[in-house]
Amino acid sequence: MIRTIPVFLLLFFLVLSCNEKRTVQYPDQLLGLNIQYRYSNDREYNVKLEKEGLSYRYISGSKPEKWWGKFPYNYSMLEDGQHVVAWHEEGYDDYITLIIDFERNTLFGSGIIKCEEVHFAPAEIFTYSFE
């Protein structure tokens, strides 16, 4: 009986730790984020969030090496752990919002492009890092 108590306690704590919800700490305003993702319509982007602002590359576009920005951006974290990033590209009249879910490696983008085209699509995150 004495030998089974330590084994039981070990199993009990292992089960508790498996059910524990892990909380990941992200930098304030997601500063340093470098994320690459592709929408279901095959548009692929690389976005960076830096102190100076947000910049991005349109990887599947005609100039994949060109960085656009640095645009001021807004940030919020939702109760369910998703991150919201939004910005306005002054001079282009583009209004973009990204909802990022790091746990599922997904992103949802919504935007009004040149005050004419509506963008509303899910995306798969390929890579992300914090620099």
Side-chain angles (χ1 to χ4, degrees):
M1 170 90 173
I2 294 175
R3 289 184 187 178
T4 59
I5 291 175
V7 171
F8 173 75
L9 286 175
L10 177 64
L11 288 173
F12 176 74
F13 286 113
L14 282 173
V15 168
L16 278 181
S17 67
C18 289
N19 290 331
E20 203 176 282
K21 183 160 183 148
R22 302 191 192 284
T23 55
V24 177
Q25 295 294 326
Y26 293 99
D28 187 37
Q29 306 286 307
L30 293 182
L31 282 176
L33 175 65
N34 185 345
I35 187 169
Q36 187 170 336
Y37 55 93
R38 182 183 305 141
Y39 287 107
S40 56
N41 63 7
D42 287 333
R43 288 184 179 178
E44 189 170 344
Y45 293 89
N46 180 199
V47 172
K48 286 185 182 181
L49 302 179
E50 299 170 296
K51 195 173 199 173
E52 301 81 22
L54 178 147
S55 57
Y56 71 90
R57 294 185 303 150
Y58 181 16
I59 295 174
S60 58
S62 62
K63 299 177 184 174
E65 69 288 339
K66 180 173 174 47
W67 284 93
W68 300 87
K70 304 206 186 247
F71 304 106
Y73 69 95
N74 296 297
Y75 167 81
S76 185
M77 187 163 135
L78 303 177
E79 287 181 17
D80 64 0
Q82 293 181 343
H83 303 265
V84 180
V85 175
W87 71 96
H88 171 236
E89 296 181 28
E90 200 168 321
Y92 300 102
D93 275 338
D94 293 350
Y95 298 86
I96 309 296
T97 300
L98 304 178
I99 301 171
I100 304 167
D101 188 333
F102 291 114
E103 286 186 28
R104 292 181 181 89
N105 275 339
T106 59
L107 177 148
F108 199 91
S110 176
I112 300 173
I113 314 299
K114 297 182 182 178
C115 286
E116 297 171 1
E117 178 188 344
V118 173
H119 169 76
F120 194 74
E124 178 185 356
I125 297 172
F126 289 118
T127 63
Y128 71 89
S129 62
F130 291 93
E131 300 170 355

